[in-house]
Amino acid sequence: MRRSLKAVLVIATVAGLATTFLQADGGAVPARADASTSSRAAAATTTRVAATTARGPAAPTHQNPMTLALPDGQTAASCADPTVIRGVGRDRNWYLYCTTDALTATEQNPDGSLVQHGVPTYRSTDLTHWSYVDDAFPSKPAWVGDANGIWAPDVVYRAGSHGRAGTWYLYYAASDTPTATGPTGGGSAVGVATSSSPTGPWTDSGGPVVAPQAAPNGTGQRWEFDPEVITDRGSTYLYFGSYFGGVNVRRLSADGLRSIPSTERQIAIDNRYEGTYLMRHDGWWYFMGSATNCCNGALTGYAVFVARSRSPLGPFTDQDGVAITSTRVGGTPLLAQNGNRWVGTGHNTVVTDLAGQDWIVYHAVDRNDPYYAGQATYTKRPVLIDPLDWVHGWPVVRGGAGPSDTVQPGPVAQPGQRATYRPTLAPVDVPGREIRALSTDFRGTALPPALTWTREPDPSTWTVGGGTLRWQTQAADIHPPTTPLASVLSEPAPQGDYVVETTVAVSTPATGDGLNYVQGGLIVYGDDANYLRLTSNSIFDTRQTEFGKQLSGQPAGAPTYGNTVVGPVGDRTTLRIVHRVVDGEDRYTAYTSVDGRHFVRGGTWTADLGATPRIGLISLGGSGFTSTFDDLTVSTVRSVRG
């Protein structure tokens, strides 16, 4: 959640749920009846709208973000890493739990820092308007220690037997633990607390469910964040992990208080996913995980990706058939920023309303108001909700339209309400007519005259011939004031809407570490401090397609670069940026393809790149490799139904 192109501060996340009662290992265990265990797995796909009562009041409308009302009349600014569960029995309330965070900018400690609330809890009857109940952890468990965080709650319910009351389990990530000599440095872990009520009070188990463990590379402790609990075929599993160490799963003991280390297996490669959420639909298990940086202000590019498997233990593959354990890491974009006010749309849970409609709950960042007042680098992450639809066996958010920022039909949260949401597939932008004056297939032995250099490289480092441009990667980048600054090969962008595309192969090996940020691909260039780039990139031991934004004029201490990622890298990867002017803003959307035919759509950045932006190619991030470009194609835009 925190380490994108550069190592960054970590603050973790996790998933959500509704309620079920299951048996495992001979006893009742914590279980979550989200899409994984409910009967709605047999619901229709593309245009499913399950109806409740044909008559009755319509479900209320809503507008993102959700409203989190505090006792003093203020509204909570954040609810990161949300998880949601419905009450049991006669309790018709829904409950929302958030990671430890500040609720407002006005509640301050004597030193001026913001008061942190340990897993704030809210109650709702409509799934969109919430009232604060209490903090699950008014004080931290002794084994976690006062200096460390409690993050990413996941709440499940365990039914009682023989007339006994059930038990609620709250799993959480401990950001660090004490050592024998100090309050920190022991490594992150997963803990659990129990209660007879969804609102507590909670009693901690007194120790970790997953204890700290050394990282696979032998450097420090792995990140054991973001617990997620599901039950399948009589066994209950705990998923956990993040960028440093990857995502792993273990089977839980029958009482839900311990994990079994010998059952551990890897679910996703390191340096890519966190915030795991698992759900079942139509016989498939779907892995959802979030990628890149959660907390980068207006430059947050956090997004949710999906892969599926017949088994909850994997292997999970995406729509391109690429595994999330592959070094050319798989994962199909599910939830990404779309150009409206919301960026950094990530760390999700899914709930099913009483009409059978799925809803994705997640946090995001308002790019127009990203920071707590008076806290220039402390990112607010309000909580959002949107419908989750199913198209040809894969989930899409709001018919593919992504996060909403206008009034929308709301979920059916209470019996007798009438569903009003109707799925409609969103259009997809594709290339139209090729603009030949700006396009080239690199035939011949010279660059076309439209393409010119910014900081021309040594002529011995690039060649044109055989229908390709071969350009050695440079030991430089474009992050001023850092120097040296890399070269850019570009031409004037066309006026209005357009598509720019290239197919590139970067000669970094498919496996191997220590090649950080060697990349080649597209750039839309205003100047060295304001640009977008979509590249095939080496990120630690993975290969990913990264869509980054460099932006000047940020507050002191705030980041100037943010990134999101898109589809997998192939032997050759086709990269596409679609530019559209919407309501006077320039929106740039990334698409990638491993075969040049099937494209996956990623996130959208808005960017003011000046009156004369340029489009072109880059090959940078480290020496010793070569980017081979097949073409640079510029087209008009047309829209087709998704």
Side-chain angles (χ1 to χ4, degrees):
M1 154 186 350
R2 287 15 93 175
R3 188 169 68 194
S4 57
L5 205 64
K6 305 169 181 65
V8 286
L9 176 66
V10 181
I11 307 173
T13 53
V14 85
L17 27 129
T19 307
T20 193
F21 318 114
L22 297 174
Q23 298 289 320
D25 299 330
V29 299
R32 203 196 48 213
D34 49 22
S36 62
T37 51
S38 70
S39 61
R40 67 153 182 63
T45 55
T46 305
T47 58
R48 173 176 57 82
V49 181
T52 64
T53 312
R55 305 174 188 273
T61 59
H62 80 97
Q63 184 172 1
N64 282 325
M66 292 182 180
T67 301
L68 309 182
L70 300 175
D72 64 0
Q74 295 191 73
T75 299
S78 275
C79 177
D81 315 340
T83 188
V84 176
I85 191 167
R86 191 174 182 228
V88 298
R90 296 182 179 180
D91 184 358
R92 293 187 174 183
N93 291 300
W94 299 80
Y95 297 92
L96 168 68
Y97 309 82
C98 317
T99 209
T100 296
D101 221 337
L103 299 186
T104 71
T106 58
E107 189 180 14
Q108 298 185 357
N109 295 305
D111 64 358
S113 63
L114 300 187
V115 172
Q116 300 292 301
H117 286 259
V119 185
T121 304
Y122 300 85
R123 180 189 290 118
S124 174
T125 58
D126 66 4
L127 269 172
T128 60
H129 296 83
W130 301 84
S131 297
Y132 173 80
V133 177
D134 205 348
D135 294 344
F137 292 94
S139 60
K140 296 174 184 176
W143 73 270
V144 175
D146 289 340
N148 305 307
I150 297 178
W151 297 339
D154 189 26
V155 178
V156 295
Y157 179 75
R158 174 188 178 188
S161 60
H162 307 293
R164 296 174 182 171
T167 302
W168 300 83
Y169 286 66
L170 191 161
Y171 295 87
Y172 61 89
S175 67
D176 201 355
T177 53
T179 65
T181 58
T184 62
S188 57
V190 175
V192 65
T194 59
S195 176
S196 61
S197 164
T199 58
W202 298 93
T203 301
D204 193 75
S205 70
V209 180
V210 178
Q213 185 168 314
N217 65 4
T219 304
Q221 305 286 339
R222 68 181 182 180
W223 293 357
E224 296 180 343
F225 302 154
D226 302 354
E228 161 75 345
V229 175
I230 63 101
T231 296
D232 180 63
R233 301 179 187 273
S235 294
T236 300
Y237 300 99
L238 171 67
Y239 299 76
F240 60 94
S242 182
Y243 305 140
F244 195 49
V247 174
N248 300 283
V249 63
R250 291 182 183 178
R251 188 159 54 87
L252 284 175
S253 59
D255 62 7
L257 301 179
R258 296 174 293 107
S259 66
I260 304 171
S262 62
T263 65
E264 181 174 308
R265 67 193 307 175
Q266 187 180 52
I267 294 297
I269 194 171
D270 54 352
N271 296 300
R272 173 65 174 214
Y273 291 118
E274 62 176 14
T276 301
Y277 180 79
L278 268 287
M279 66 180 294
R280 192 177 182 186
H281 180 85
D282 280 352
W284 290 93
W285 282 94
Y286 291 83
F287 167 95
M288 299 176 189
S290 294
T292 77
N293 193 326
C294 72
C295 311
N296 221 29
L299 290 166
T300 304
Y302 212 41
V304 178
F305 295 77
V306 64
R308 71 182 186 181
S309 173
R310 290 296 186 183
S311 167
L313 302 181
F316 289 90
T317 56
D318 65 14
Q319 289 192 48
D320 288 298
V322 182
I324 59 175
T325 50
S326 172
T327 53
R328 291 178 173 175
V329 60
T332 297
L334 167 62
L335 175 66
Q337 55 209 47
N338 59 10
N340 63 19
R341 65 190 279 202
W342 301 115
V343 297
T345 52
H347 200 127
N348 74 290
T349 184
V350 176
V351 295
T352 304
D353 73 10
L354 302 189
Q357 173 67 47
D358 293 328
W359 296 82
I360 186 167
V361 179
Y362 57 98
H363 71 240
V365 178
D366 185 343
R367 63 184 171 93
N368 300 314
D369 183 23
Y371 299 117
Y372 286 85
Q375 307 284 328
T377 60
Y378 188 174
T379 301
K380 296 185 294 185
R381 293 176 286 170
V383 62
L384 283 62
I385 185 170
D386 281 299
L388 187 77
D389 304 312
W390 294 88
V391 179
H392 305 307
W394 291 92
V396 297
V397 176
R398 211 162 52 97
S404 66
D405 64 352
T406 59
V407 176
Q408 301 287 317
V412 174
Q414 295 299 326
Q417 292 179 338
R418 175 169 45 87
T420 58
Y421 171 69
R422 300 291 183 269
T424 301
L425 290 182
V428 177
D429 288 331
V430 299
R433 174 184 53 83
E434 182 178 326
I435 303 173
R436 294 187 178 181
L438 298 177
S439 301
T440 180
D441 56 8
F442 297 115
R443 294 186 185 275
T445 58
L447 291 171
L451 285 171
T452 59
W453 293 103
T454 300
R455 294 179 292 272
E456 182 174 359
D458 188 307
S460 68
T461 64
W462 61 274
T463 60
V464 177
T468 62
L469 164 65
R470 293 175 54 82
W471 183 4
Q472 294 176 20
T473 56
Q474 298 179 297
D477 211 316
I478 315 174
H479 293 301
T482 303
T483 57
L485 294 174
S487 303
V488 177
L489 179 63
S490 66
E491 61 191 7
Q495 296 293 313
D497 300 340
Y498 62 85
V499 179
V500 59
E501 184 175 294
T502 191
T503 297
V504 64
V506 183
S507 66
T508 48
T511 60
D513 206 342
L515 308 175
N516 272 347
Y517 319 131
V518 174
Q519 60 194 280
L522 293 171
I523 188 168
V524 185
Y525 181 75
D527 55 43
D528 289 333
N530 296 276
Y531 61 79
L532 302 168
R533 62 186 183 188
L534 176 61
T535 62
S536 174
N537 197 350
S538 294
I539 302 176
F540 293 88
D541 57 345
T542 67
R543 310 295 177 261
Q544 305 184 39
T545 55
E546 181 180 88
F547 188 35
K549 176 180 177 179
Q550 180 79 25
L551 181 65
S552 63
Q554 298 306 291
T560 62
Y561 183 83
N563 75 322
T564 187
V565 287
V566 197
V569 168
D571 290 337
R572 308 184 83 75
T573 309
T574 302
L575 308 171
R576 175 186 293 171
I577 298 176
V578 175
H579 168 258
R580 279 199 179 274
V581 179
V582 180
D583 297 330
E585 281 193 319
D586 293 283
R587 295 184 179 180
Y588 299 87
T589 303
Y591 295 75
T592 66
S593 173
V594 293
D595 61 12
R597 298 184 303 276
H598 166 250
F599 283 81
V600 295
R601 177 173 57 190
T604 299
W605 288 113
T606 59
D608 181 0
L609 301 179
T612 57
R614 300 177 67 85
I615 52 178
L617 306 173
I618 53 175
S619 180
L620 48 77
S623 61
F625 303 95
T626 300
S627 300
T628 300
F629 299 94
D630 290 354
D631 54 10
L632 180 65
T633 304
V634 186
S635 309
T636 60
V637 187
R638 64 186 182 92
S639 292
V640 298
R641 280 290 162 188

